[in-house]
Amino acid sequence: MIGSKRMPVLFIGHGSPENAFEDNEFGYAWADIASRFPKPVSVLVVSAHWTSRVCEDADQTRVTAALYPETLHDFHGFPKRYFDFVSPIQGNPALAARVKGLVTTVPVRGDASRGFDHGSWSVLSRMYPDAEIPVVELSIDEQLRRKDMIDIGRELATLRDEGVLILGSGNIVHNLGTIEWNGDPYPWATEFDSFVRDALVTKDSEALVGFEKHRQIRLAHPSVDHFLPLLYVIGAAEKEDPVFFCETVFAASLSMRCVAYGL
């Protein structure tokens, strides 16, 4: 039954938009994890692709407020059919208003012009291919203290009891400039991925807040946008134990590690 139990919290290593279209281990893993808990009433996504670094309109925290957000094709160099794809996922203005009321760490503004980027629709198209579940997306202000991002996650955690799935979409290691399509994982990629895994297992939020001090940070994250959704997730997880799935380091420098809480 939809909304019949407390929803989990997920962090999905989303990687390339091709994962929405091609048969591979990543899309299968996302579909499988969705089958392990009841369908949510709605989904709240924190995506690496809506941040103040990449979007001039995201210099503060915003939430999508349109009923029919457009499909953003925020990538290049892929087949035409990827750009022709229009996601039928609807928005949820009522949930957007609820988010604005729950978050007190920072002001949250509704944004009726923002669409869904591939950090949202590529994952959700595999988890819920019928697109029957409405979605809102929360932006990331990269100027916020990292601790504030965890606090926002904590404030949003109450939504879990209202049937809302909280989903962070990014990558624990993300360096597109060093990709080797058939290469073994770089030692620095494995080191940083293991550091994050261990910190999640031991619930060491201090280490995760201070991730930018890690000696491999410049290689693991030339820009930190793909790591930051994880901080919202661990705030919303409320000290639950992580369950890891899809732990591949793909193309040598892209960690596809996914984490679930509350299954």
Side-chain angles (χ1 to χ4, degrees):
M1 176 179 176
I2 290 178
S4 62
K5 62 167 286 185
R6 191 173 201 237
M7 285 291 110
V9 183
L10 304 179
F11 177 85
I12 300 293
H14 67 247
S16 165
E18 71 181 356
N19 297 321
F21 302 97
E22 310 299 335
D23 290 333
N24 60 35
E25 64 176 294
F26 311 123
Y28 293 144
W30 305 342
D32 176 70
I33 201 69
S35 72
R36 295 170 60 185
F37 55 88
K39 286 185 177 179
V41 170
S42 194
V43 181
L44 168 66
V45 180
V46 182
S47 169
H49 292 279
W50 193 15
T51 75
S52 53
R53 186 184 68 83
V54 297
C55 303
E56 292 180 0
D57 66 346
D59 58 348
Q60 53 192 308
T61 300
R62 301 192 182 203
V63 63
T64 56
L67 181 58
Y68 300 104
E70 66 176 314
T71 301
L72 302 178
H73 303 99
D74 50 337
F75 45 79
H76 57 85
F78 289 94
K80 181 178 181 296
R81 64 191 179 94
Y82 291 16
F83 295 91
D84 291 339
F85 174 77
V86 177
S87 172
I89 298 172
Q90 292 189 19
N92 188 338
L95 177 58
R98 178 77 171 125
V99 169
K100 289 169 60 179
L102 283 174
V103 176
T104 60
T105 296
V106 294
V108 178
R109 290 182 57 189
D111 190 330
S113 64
R114 171 71 183 184
F116 293 142
D117 56 67
H118 79 271
S120 295
W121 60 256
S122 68
V123 174
L124 293 171
S125 67
R126 302 306 297 266
M127 293 180 66
Y128 303 111
D130 293 336
E132 74 274 35
I133 300 169
V135 177
V136 300
E137 189 172 324
L138 187 73
S139 78
I140 300 173
D141 179 358
E142 291 192 31
Q143 303 307 309
L144 288 181
R145 295 183 306 167
R146 305 317 184 208
K147 179 182 178 297
D148 289 341
M149 296 177 180
I150 292 179
D151 289 342
I152 292 170
R154 290 193 181 108
E155 291 167 345
L156 293 170
T158 190
L159 293 173
R160 298 173 60 189
D161 292 317
E162 299 172 14
V164 177
L165 172 67
I166 297 175
L167 189 156
S169 180
N171 290 98
I172 285 172
V173 176
H174 186 264
N175 188 334
L176 299 183
T178 59
I179 278 179
E180 294 287 344
W181 292 110
N182 296 309
D184 293 329
Y186 293 113
W188 53 261
T190 300
E191 180 182 339
F192 191 85
D193 183 67
S194 296
F195 152 70
V196 175
R197 182 191 187 283
D198 292 347
L200 293 172
V201 168
T202 60
K203 303 179 178 63
D204 189 350
S205 59
E206 184 175 344
L208 294 167
V209 165
F211 75 99
E212 287 154 294
K213 299 176 183 176
H214 193 278
R215 68 174 189 161
Q216 303 293 6
I217 187 61
R218 291 187 179 180
L219 286 169
H221 288 280
S223 61
V224 298
D225 48 356
H226 276 68
F227 186 92
L228 297 178
L230 181 65
L231 299 179
Y232 295 79
V233 165
I234 63 174
E238 298 185 335
K239 299 295 185 179
E240 293 164 325
D241 292 327
V243 175
F244 298 105
F245 61 104
C246 199
E247 300 182 79
T248 303
V249 176
F250 175 70
S253 62
L254 196 64
S255 171
M256 298 297 291
R257 180 181 297 279
C258 299
V259 188
Y261 291 94
L263 288 181

